Amino acid sequence: MVVPVKFVVACAAADDIFLIATIPDELPKDAEFTRLYYLCPETEEVWHYRDWPNEQVVSLCLRREREGVRRAACALTGEGDIEIANSAEETYEKISGAGLMGARALGAVTRIREIGSTLFVCGNYGQVYRRDEIGWTPIDEEMAELGKSALSLPLPDAASVSDDMLRQFTQSMRQAPNFNDIGGISETDFYVCGNGGNLFHYDGKAWAKIDIRTDAILTAIIASQQTKSWSWAKTAPF
């Protein structure tokens, strides 16, 4: 039976392998479900799929092959659940502090990427996590404090709010470090970008905010290992 689906996110795992995370159209609006499709032109059956019930994938990335580690596809949900899978095995991990229901209560995570030989995740209100030998560790430091400050802002009282108060509140929320992407050329040289023109650089020890003179929503980072440069994509101002 053919099931219509909506495409959510895609990732090229190799020249001949392509992954797409989808949502079946017939699901109830409040249901969470992901169908992961794999395009493998070299196999007898070109398209394969696997279902991940009760989860909604928001980002995919490739974990590259290296000594002692097999190539694998990594899928991330907004609540910080992660599937790392290849033809040999599937493993599932959890970023305990991430997501609306996580211990830190900072909101959803949005992107997973391999930088160097390490997996990183970024998300709303300053969240950045690194996968190391002990699991997923937050490395967001002062950025998460900025996020908490934005979350603690009192909502303007509808009965007495003025245009100036509403404008000031909106501007404060616009500056909140809600990150949409993470990328770079090594574990000690990468960036996160997000809403309100927020762009931060990490040198392996500390974060520095970069003023790019825009309040646009920055949606993606592209890093070049050859030229050791980077660029970003943006939408219209928030």
Side-chain angles (χ1 to χ4, degrees), residues 201-227:
H201 176 255
Y202 186 67
D203 65 3
K205 296 180 180 179
W207 292 95
K209 185 172 184 178
I210 299 174
D211 184 7
I212 56 174
R213 305 193 178 196
T214 181
D215 61 355
I217 299 172
L218 306 180
T219 58
I221 291 175
I222 301 172
S224 172
Q225 178 66 46
Q226 286 75 23
T227 61

PDB file of all heavy atoms in Angstrom, residues 201-227:
ATOM      1  N   HIS A 201      31.169  31.689  18.116  1.00  0.00           N
ATOM      2  CA  HIS A 201      32.303  30.846  17.749  1.00  0.00           C
ATOM      3  C   HIS A 201      32.856  30.174  18.995  1.00  0.00           C
ATOM      4  O   HIS A 201      32.921  30.772  20.066  1.00  0.00           O
ATOM      5  CB  HIS A 201      33.400  31.687  17.090  1.00  0.00           C
ATOM      6  CG  HIS A 201      34.636  30.884  16.781  1.00  0.00           C
ATOM      7  ND1 HIS A 201      35.800  30.977  17.524  1.00  0.00           N
ATOM      8  CD2 HIS A 201      34.874  29.964  15.810  1.00  0.00           C
ATOM      9  CE1 HIS A 201      36.705  30.154  17.016  1.00  0.00           C
ATOM     10  NE2 HIS A 201      36.181  29.529  15.987  1.00  0.00           N
ATOM     11  N   TYR A 202      33.281  28.902  18.833  1.00  0.00           N
ATOM     12  CA  TYR A 202      33.878  28.143  19.929  1.00  0.00           C
ATOM     13  C   TYR A 202      35.298  27.746  19.542  1.00  0.00           C
ATOM     14  O   TYR A 202      35.524  27.207  18.449  1.00  0.00           O
ATOM     15  CB  TYR A 202      33.047  26.888  20.200  1.00  0.00           C
ATOM     16  CG  TYR A 202      33.483  26.102  21.414  1.00  0.00           C
ATOM     17  CD1 TYR A 202      33.353  26.627  22.702  1.00  0.00           C
ATOM     18  CD2 TYR A 202      34.001  24.821  21.284  1.00  0.00           C
ATOM     19  CE1 TYR A 202      33.731  25.894  23.813  1.00  0.00           C
ATOM     20  CE2 TYR A 202      34.387  24.079  22.397  1.00  0.00           C
ATOM     21  CZ  TYR A 202      34.250  24.627  23.660  1.00  0.00           C
ATOM     22  OH  TYR A 202      34.629  23.898  24.767  1.00  0.00           O
ATOM     23  N   ASP A 203      36.257  28.021  20.421  1.00  0.00           N
ATOM     24  CA  ASP A 203      37.670  27.721  20.131  1.00  0.00           C
ATOM     25  C   ASP A 203      38.194  26.526  20.917  1.00  0.00           C
ATOM     26  O   ASP A 203      39.407  26.316  21.007  1.00  0.00           O
ATOM     27  CB  ASP A 203      38.547  28.937  20.399  1.00  0.00           C
ATOM     28  CG  ASP A 203      38.574  29.335  21.877  1.00  0.00           C
ATOM     29  OD1 ASP A 203      37.960  28.648  22.719  1.00  0.00           O
ATOM     30  OD2 ASP A 203      39.222  30.361  22.196  1.00  0.00           O
ATOM     31  N   GLY A 204      37.265  25.744  21.465  1.00  0.00           N
ATOM     32  CA  GLY A 204      37.660  24.591  22.274  1.00  0.00           C
ATOM     33  C   GLY A 204      37.678  24.875  23.757  1.00  0.00           C
ATOM     34  O   GLY A 204      37.694  23.952  24.567  1.00  0.00           O
ATOM     35  N   LYS A 205      37.666  26.167  24.116  1.00  0.00           N
ATOM     36  CA  LYS A 205      37.687  26.557  25.529  1.00  0.00           C
ATOM     37  C   LYS A 205      36.571  27.547  25.877  1.00  0.00           C
ATOM     38  O   LYS A 205      35.987  27.474  26.942  1.00  0.00           O
ATOM     39  CB  LYS A 205      39.041  27.162  25.899  1.00  0.00           C
ATOM     40  CG  LYS A 205      40.212  26.194  25.779  1.00  0.00           C
ATOM     41  CD  LYS A 205      41.525  26.879  26.159  1.00  0.00           C
ATOM     42  CE  LYS A 205      42.697  25.927  26.031  1.00  0.00           C
ATOM     43  NZ  LYS A 205      43.990  26.593  26.371  1.00  0.00           N
ATOM     44  N   ALA A 206      36.330  28.495  24.995  1.00  0.00           N
ATOM     45  CA  ALA A 206      35.379  29.560  25.321  1.00  0.00           C
ATOM     46  C   ALA A 206      34.572  29.949  24.091  1.00  0.00           C
ATOM     47  O   ALA A 206      34.981  29.718  22.944  1.00  0.00           O
ATOM     48  CB  ALA A 206      36.129  30.787  25.854  1.00  0.00           C
ATOM     49  N   TRP A 207      33.424  30.579  24.353  1.00  0.00           N
ATOM     50  CA  TRP A 207      32.533  31.063  23.309  1.00  0.00           C
ATOM     51  C   TRP A 207      32.722  32.568  23.128  1.00  0.00           C
ATOM     52  O   TRP A 207      32.953  33.288  24.093  1.00  0.00           O
ATOM     53  CB  TRP A 207      31.079  30.799  23.666  1.00  0.00           C
ATOM     54  CG  TRP A 207      30.703  29.348  23.666  1.00  0.00           C
ATOM     55  CD1 TRP A 207      30.685  28.504  24.734  1.00  0.00           C
ATOM     56  CD2 TRP A 207      30.289  28.576  22.539  1.00  0.00           C
ATOM     57  NE1 TRP A 207      30.296  27.253  24.348  1.00  0.00           N
ATOM     58  CE2 TRP A 207      30.041  27.263  23.007  1.00  0.00           C
ATOM     59  CE3 TRP A 207      30.114  28.871  21.190  1.00  0.00           C
ATOM     60  CZ2 TRP A 207      29.616  26.255  22.157  1.00  0.00           C
ATOM     61  CZ3 TRP A 207      29.686  27.850  20.339  1.00  0.00           C
ATOM     62  CH2 TRP A 207      29.447  26.556  20.820  1.00  0.00           C
ATOM     63  N   ALA A 208      32.597  33.031  21.890  1.00  0.00           N
ATOM     64  CA  ALA A 208      32.644  34.454  21.591  1.00  0.00           C
ATOM     65  C   ALA A 208      31.522  34.781  20.617  1.00  0.00           C
ATOM     66  O   ALA A 208      31.346  34.083  19.604  1.00  0.00           O
ATOM     67  CB  ALA A 208      33.989  34.840  20.978  1.00  0.00           C
ATOM     68  N   LYS A 209      30.771  35.839  20.929  1.00  0.00           N
ATOM     69  CA  LYS A 209      29.702  36.252  20.022  1.00  0.00           C
ATOM     70  C   LYS A 209      30.287  37.077  18.890  1.00  0.00           C
ATOM     71  O   LYS A 209      31.151  37.937  19.103  1.00  0.00           O
ATOM     72  CB  LYS A 209      28.642  37.059  20.763  1.00  0.00           C
ATOM     73  CG  LYS A 209      27.448  37.395  19.882  1.00  0.00           C
ATOM     74  CD  LYS A 209      26.303  38.022  20.660  1.00  0.00           C
ATOM     75  CE  LYS A 209      25.106  38.238  19.748  1.00  0.00           C
ATOM     76  NZ  LYS A 209      23.948  38.815  20.480  1.00  0.00           N
ATOM     77  N   ILE A 210      29.808  36.816  17.668  1.00  0.00           N
ATOM     78  CA  ILE A 210      30.280  37.534  16.490  1.00  0.00           C
ATOM     79  C   ILE A 210      29.161  38.453  16.005  1.00  0.00           C
ATOM     80  O   ILE A 210      28.039  38.005  15.753  1.00  0.00           O
ATOM     81  CB  ILE A 210      30.677  36.554  15.372  1.00  0.00           C
ATOM     82  CG1 ILE A 210      31.808  35.647  15.873  1.00  0.00           C
ATOM     83  CG2 ILE A 210      31.093  37.294  14.114  1.00  0.00           C
ATOM     84  CD1 ILE A 210      32.176  34.559  14.921  1.00  0.00           C
ATOM     85  N   ASP A 211      29.472  39.729  15.892  1.00  0.00           N
ATOM     86  CA  ASP A 211      28.494  40.711  15.432  1.00  0.00           C
ATOM     87  C   ASP A 211      28.502  40.751  13.904  1.00  0.00           C
ATOM     88  O   ASP A 211      29.475  41.175  13.283  1.00  0.00           O
ATOM     89  CB  ASP A 211      28.832  42.092  15.990  1.00  0.00           C
ATOM     90  CG  ASP A 211      27.791  43.138  15.612  1.00  0.00           C
ATOM     91  OD1 ASP A 211      26.748  42.752  15.033  1.00  0.00           O
ATOM     92  OD2 ASP A 211      28.009  44.326  15.902  1.00  0.00           O
ATOM     93  N   ILE A 212      27.412  40.287  13.295  1.00  0.00           N
ATOM     94  CA  ILE A 212      27.330  40.293  11.832  1.00  0.00           C
ATOM     95  C   ILE A 212      26.310  41.325  11.339  1.00  0.00           C
ATOM     96  O   ILE A 212      25.933  41.336  10.185  1.00  0.00           O
ATOM     97  CB  ILE A 212      26.991  38.902  11.282  1.00  0.00           C
ATOM     98  CG1 ILE A 212      25.704  38.369  11.901  1.00  0.00           C
ATOM     99  CG2 ILE A 212      28.128  37.936  11.539  1.00  0.00           C
ATOM    100  CD1 ILE A 212      25.244  37.066  11.287  1.00  0.00           C
ATOM    101  N   ARG A 213      25.856  42.177  12.267  1.00  0.00           N
ATOM    102  CA  ARG A 213      25.030  43.332  11.921  1.00  0.00           C
ATOM    103  C   ARG A 213      23.756  42.950  11.164  1.00  0.00           C
ATOM    104  O   ARG A 213      23.435  43.527  10.129  1.00  0.00           O
ATOM    105  CB  ARG A 213      25.834  44.348  11.134  1.00  0.00           C
ATOM    106  CG  ARG A 213      27.103  44.763  11.869  1.00  0.00           C
ATOM    107  CD  ARG A 213      27.750  45.969  11.283  1.00  0.00           C
ATOM    108  NE  ARG A 213      28.923  46.339  12.055  1.00  0.00           N
ATOM    109  CZ  ARG A 213      29.527  47.504  11.978  1.00  0.00           C
ATOM    110  NH1 ARG A 213      29.062  48.442  11.187  1.00  0.00           N
ATOM    111  NH2 ARG A 213      30.598  47.762  12.707  1.00  0.00           N
ATOM    112  N   THR A 214      23.067  41.975  11.675  1.00  0.00           N
ATOM    113  CA  THR A 214      21.765  41.593  11.137  1.00  0.00           C
ATOM    114  C   THR A 214      20.952  40.975  12.245  1.00  0.00           C
ATOM    115  O   THR A 214      21.515  40.410  13.194  1.00  0.00           O
ATOM    116  CB  THR A 214      21.889  40.602   9.969  1.00  0.00           C
ATOM    117  OG1 THR A 214      20.579  40.277   9.472  1.00  0.00           O
ATOM    118  CG2 THR A 214      22.560  39.310  10.407  1.00  0.00           C
ATOM    119  N   ASP A 215      19.620  41.119  12.155  1.00  0.00           N
ATOM    120  CA  ASP A 215      18.761  40.406  13.093  1.00  0.00           C
ATOM    121  C   ASP A 215      17.953  39.346  12.365  1.00  0.00           C
ATOM    122  O   ASP A 215      16.914  38.901  12.829  1.00  0.00           O
ATOM    123  CB  ASP A 215      17.834  41.378  13.837  1.00  0.00           C
ATOM    124  CG  ASP A 215      16.917  42.140  12.891  1.00  0.00           C
ATOM    125  OD1 ASP A 215      17.059  41.981  11.656  1.00  0.00           O
ATOM    126  OD2 ASP A 215      16.056  42.898  13.375  1.00  0.00           O
ATOM    127  N   ALA A 216      18.459  38.928  11.202  1.00  0.00           N
ATOM    128  CA  ALA A 216      17.793  37.880  10.429  1.00  0.00           C
ATOM    129  C   ALA A 216      17.897  36.535  11.141  1.00  0.00           C
ATOM    130  O   ALA A 216      18.741  36.337  12.026  1.00  0.00           O
ATOM    131  CB  ALA A 216      18.415  37.778   9.039  1.00  0.00           C
ATOM    132  N   ILE A 217      17.056  35.614  10.753  1.00  0.00           N
ATOM    133  CA  ILE A 217      17.120  34.243  11.262  1.00  0.00           C
ATOM    134  C   ILE A 217      18.187  33.500  10.464  1.00  0.00           C
ATOM    135  O   ILE A 217      18.055  33.305   9.252  1.00  0.00           O
ATOM    136  CB  ILE A 217      15.764  33.536  11.125  1.00  0.00           C
ATOM    137  CG1 ILE A 217      14.692  34.272  11.933  1.00  0.00           C
ATOM    138  CG2 ILE A 217      15.869  32.082  11.585  1.00  0.00           C
ATOM    139  CD1 ILE A 217      13.287  33.759  11.705  1.00  0.00           C
ATOM    140  N   LEU A 218      19.254  33.088  11.136  1.00  0.00           N
ATOM    141  CA  LEU A 218      20.325  32.326  10.487  1.00  0.00           C
ATOM    142  C   LEU A 218      19.965  30.846  10.561  1.00  0.00           C
ATOM    143  O   LEU A 218      19.780  30.303  11.650  1.00  0.00           O
ATOM    144  CB  LEU A 218      21.659  32.592  11.177  1.00  0.00           C
ATOM    145  CG  LEU A 218      22.056  34.073  11.299  1.00  0.00           C
ATOM    146  CD1 LEU A 218      23.406  34.196  11.994  1.00  0.00           C
ATOM    147  CD2 LEU A 218      22.075  34.762   9.953  1.00  0.00           C
ATOM    148  N   THR A 219      19.856  30.198   9.411  1.00  0.00           N
ATOM    149  CA  THR A 219      19.301  28.849   9.368  1.00  0.00           C
ATOM    150  C   THR A 219      20.332  27.750   9.171  1.00  0.00           C
ATOM    151  O   THR A 219      20.058  26.598   9.495  1.00  0.00           O
ATOM    152  CB  THR A 219      18.268  28.744   8.240  1.00  0.00           C
ATOM    153  OG1 THR A 219      18.900  29.083   6.989  1.00  0.00           O
ATOM    154  CG2 THR A 219      17.107  29.709   8.477  1.00  0.00           C
ATOM    155  N   ALA A 220      21.509  28.076   8.619  1.00  0.00           N
ATOM    156  CA  ALA A 220      22.472  27.009   8.316  1.00  0.00           C
ATOM    157  C   ALA A 220      23.882  27.563   8.236  1.00  0.00           C
ATOM    158  O   ALA A 220      24.088  28.729   7.902  1.00  0.00           O
ATOM    159  CB  ALA A 220      22.113  26.332   6.994  1.00  0.00           C
ATOM    160  N   ILE A 221      24.856  26.703   8.548  1.00  0.00           N
ATOM    161  CA  ILE A 221      26.274  27.029   8.452  1.00  0.00           C
ATOM    162  C   ILE A 221      26.927  26.039   7.502  1.00  0.00           C
ATOM    163  O   ILE A 221      26.670  24.833   7.566  1.00  0.00           O
ATOM    164  CB  ILE A 221      26.961  26.945   9.827  1.00  0.00           C
ATOM    165  CG1 ILE A 221      26.473  28.064  10.743  1.00  0.00           C
ATOM    166  CG2 ILE A 221      28.477  27.027   9.681  1.00  0.00           C
ATOM    167  CD1 ILE A 221      27.032  27.968  12.143  1.00  0.00           C
ATOM    168  N   ILE A 222      27.787  26.545   6.617  1.00  0.00           N
ATOM    169  CA  ILE A 222      28.564  25.691   5.726  1.00  0.00           C
ATOM    170  C   ILE A 222      30.032  26.009   5.963  1.00  0.00           C
ATOM    171  O   ILE A 222      30.465  27.153   5.778  1.00  0.00           O
ATOM    172  CB  ILE A 222      28.205  25.926   4.245  1.00  0.00           C
ATOM    173  CG1 ILE A 222      26.719  25.645   4.013  1.00  0.00           C
ATOM    174  CG2 ILE A 222      29.067  25.045   3.345  1.00  0.00           C
ATOM    175  CD1 ILE A 222      26.233  26.022   2.636  1.00  0.00           C
ATOM    176  N   ALA A 223      30.788  25.008   6.397  1.00  0.00           N
ATOM    177  CA  ALA A 223      32.208  25.195   6.679  1.00  0.00           C
ATOM    178  C   ALA A 223      33.037  24.506   5.604  1.00  0.00           C
ATOM    179  O   ALA A 223      32.694  23.415   5.134  1.00  0.00           O
ATOM    180  CB  ALA A 223      32.557  24.627   8.048  1.00  0.00           C
ATOM    181  N   SER A 224      34.144  25.131   5.207  1.00  0.00           N
ATOM    182  CA  SER A 224      35.029  24.578   4.188  1.00  0.00           C
ATOM    183  C   SER A 224      36.367  24.216   4.811  1.00  0.00           C
ATOM    184  O   SER A 224      37.093  25.089   5.292  1.00  0.00           O
ATOM    185  CB  SER A 224      35.238  25.589   3.054  1.00  0.00           C
ATOM    186  OG  SER A 224      36.239  25.131   2.166  1.00  0.00           O
ATOM    187  N   GLN A 225      36.694  22.934   4.803  1.00  0.00           N
ATOM    188  CA  GLN A 225      37.979  22.480   5.334  1.00  0.00           C
ATOM    189  C   GLN A 225      39.128  22.951   4.452  1.00  0.00           C
ATOM    190  O   GLN A 225      40.208  23.294   4.930  1.00  0.00           O
ATOM    191  CB  GLN A 225      37.992  20.953   5.422  1.00  0.00           C
ATOM    192  CG  GLN A 225      39.307  20.364   5.915  1.00  0.00           C
ATOM    193  CD  GLN A 225      39.607  20.731   7.358  1.00  0.00           C
ATOM    194  OE1 GLN A 225      38.742  20.638   8.210  1.00  0.00           O
ATOM    195  NE2 GLN A 225      40.827  21.154   7.626  1.00  0.00           N
ATOM    196  N   GLN A 226      38.894  23.006   3.122  1.00  0.00           N
ATOM    197  CA  GLN A 226      39.969  23.367   2.197  1.00  0.00           C
ATOM    198  C   GLN A 226      40.417  24.819   2.400  1.00  0.00           C
ATOM    199  O   GLN A 226      41.598  25.122   2.433  1.00  0.00           O
ATOM    200  CB  GLN A 226      39.516  23.164   0.743  1.00  0.00           C
ATOM    201  CG  GLN A 226      39.449  21.703   0.323  1.00  0.00           C
ATOM    202  CD  GLN A 226      38.230  20.999   0.925  1.00  0.00           C
ATOM    203  OE1 GLN A 226      37.245  21.647   1.277  1.00  0.00           O
ATOM    204  NE2 GLN A 226      38.312  19.691   1.060  1.00  0.00           N
ATOM    205  N   THR A 227      39.446  25.725   2.513  1.00  0.00           N
ATOM    206  CA  THR A 227      39.791  27.145   2.620  1.00  0.00           C
ATOM    207  C   THR A 227      39.735  27.645   4.055  1.00  0.00           C
ATOM    208  O   THR A 227      40.036  28.806   4.324  1.00  0.00           O
ATOM    209  CB  THR A 227      38.827  27.990   1.772  1.00  0.00           C
ATOM    210  OG1 THR A 227      37.485  27.811   2.271  1.00  0.00           O
ATOM    211  CG2 THR A 227      38.873  27.566   0.318  1.00  0.00           C
TER     212      THR A 227
END
